[in-house]
């Protein structure tokens, strides 16, 4: 696109070089670009807002952000979930000024206009006397409503009323995401409200990393192999844990910027059982090492729900880390325990943009409703230890983002480029890989993060 997008004449082609696979650092700090992203990305695409089990009862609501707009996510009297702009159509006051609660009606504290959980206008005080009959019809005075889609209990919404369906937006990623989010009839639940904390960083520093950057694990999270859950006793040469085997597997990217890293399980099964897993059936492997949050007793349900191809991927190289474009990250991690067993941790993050150099990190911890309570408790504790506000892994990650954001404001460094040239060959999709999408096999590379930027580019130039 050769049209200027910023007032100083900067074009999108000045910021992202599609031939060289490079992005100018200025992209991580520019306030004008940030404002454009809110309109062209967050107001156009589907955005993740929360989980339906956060609002189980009629009238329950939570207040969340769709890009730069606050929204009320509420369950109405007919049990449906609605998403409405949290702005009073009278004079623009914020309607819900708390994080959540239960309300049969939302009353604006300024002049008292009142709305149903579905956003419809109910009434205003002294309506007839004050409005002199010049009021618009009630149907015109409701809150601005978003289009909502519930997927595996996850609440997504978009302002793009006539845009692509949620199914279109997921595209080929759905084949894989179903094996994570739609595993049981009972479905999932959140284990408490999400943890939230502010980081002084541009939202894209967190989100491009979330598009399945595996390489940084070797250095930034090196402690995982030295003293953490992947550590092993030093060998004869005094060398400790080696994280590099965790970097092998399959990386998947799809049309709309969704990506995932599918990490090989065979070594874990071999270590657990002492047997060669290569000749085992999917059923046998899933029973020996069930996915995070699934117990052996729950495996027959997986066998009924999924195709042989999906079961093969789930038992061989399941997606363990990945993203929902634009700002969601999920983790379904197999965590080795000191006693030799494996525990799962399941978390979902949203990186909410709060300005060009500020984001809110929101962390939900999840389990299947059918998971036994004692396992849920262990999963919750393990997830908090590793993945949340006080967690050890993502404190490493969130150390880097502010430095990158600050550097992007430097007179010299704003022209430095982010480089994404470690790419798989075009024909890297393994012949025996049964799933859809673009697939690279081997040591973790840059394709997934580059694909994230390509969809960012597509939306910014749309
Ligand atoms: Fe809400 Fe006036 S601004 S009632
Ligand atoms: Fe990380």
């Amino acid at each position: 696109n050769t049209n200027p997008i910023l007032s100083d004449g900067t074009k999108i082609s000045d910021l992202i070089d599609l031939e060289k696979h490079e992005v100018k650092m200025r992209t991580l700090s520019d306030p004008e670009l940030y404002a454009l992203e809110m309109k062209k990305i967050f107001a156009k695409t589907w955005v993740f807002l929360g989980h339906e089990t956060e609002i189980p009862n009629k009238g329950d609501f939570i207040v969340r952000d769709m890009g730069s707009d606050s929204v009320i996510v509420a369950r109405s009297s007919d049990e449906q979930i609605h998403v409405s702009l949290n702005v009073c159509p009278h004079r623009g006051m914020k309607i819900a000024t708390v994080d959540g609660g239960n309300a049969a009606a939302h009353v604006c504290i300024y002049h008292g206009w009142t709305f149903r959980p579905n956003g419809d206008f109910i009434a205003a005080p002294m309506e007839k006397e004050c409005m002199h009959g010049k009021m618009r019809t009630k149907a015109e005075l409701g809150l601005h409503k978003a289009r909502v889609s519930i997927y595996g209990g996850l609440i997504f919404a978009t302002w793009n009323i006539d845009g692509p369906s949620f199914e279109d937006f997921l595209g080929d990623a759905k084949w894989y995401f179903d094996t994570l989010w739609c595993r049981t009839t009972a479905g999932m639940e959140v284990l408490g409200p999400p943890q939230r904390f502010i980081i002084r960083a541009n939202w894209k520093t967190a989100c491009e990393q979330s598009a399945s950057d595996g390489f940084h694990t070797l250095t930034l999270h090196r402690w995982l192999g030295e003293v953490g859950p992947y550590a092993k006793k030093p060998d004869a040469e005094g060398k400790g844990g080696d994280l590099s085997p965790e970097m092998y597997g399959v990386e998947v990217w799809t049309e709309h910027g969704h990506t995932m890293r599918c990490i090989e399980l065979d070594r874990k099964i071999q270590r657990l059982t002492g047997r060669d897993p290569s000749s085992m059936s999917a059923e046998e492997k899933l029973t020996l090492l069930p996915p995070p949050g699934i117990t052996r007793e729950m495996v027959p349900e997986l066998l009924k729900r999924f195709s042989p191809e999906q079961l093969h991927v789930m038992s061989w190289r399941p997606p363990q880390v990945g993203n929902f474009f634009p700002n969601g990250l999920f983790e379904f991690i197999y965590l080795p325990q000191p006693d030799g067993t494996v525990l799962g941790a399941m978390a979902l993050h949203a990186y909410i943009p709060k300005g060009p150099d500020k984001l809110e990190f929101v962390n939900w911890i999840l389990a299947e409703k059918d998971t036994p309570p004692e396992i849920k408790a262990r999963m919750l504790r393990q997830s908090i230890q590793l993945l949340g506000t006080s967690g050890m892994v993502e404190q490493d990650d969130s150390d880097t983002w502010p430095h990158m954001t600050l550097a992007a404001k430097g007179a010299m460094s704003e022209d430095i480029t982010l480089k994404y040239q470690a790419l798989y060959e075009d024909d890297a999709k393994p012949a025996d890989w049964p799933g859809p999408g673009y697939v690279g096999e081997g040591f973790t590379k840059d394709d997934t993060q580059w694909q994230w930027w390509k969809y960012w580019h597509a939306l910014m130039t749309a």
Side-chain angles (χ1 to χ4, degrees), residues 88 90-93 108 110-113:
C88 183
H90 181 217
R91 300 277 170 78
M93 175 61 194
C108 178
Y110 198 174
H111 311 91
W113 284 28

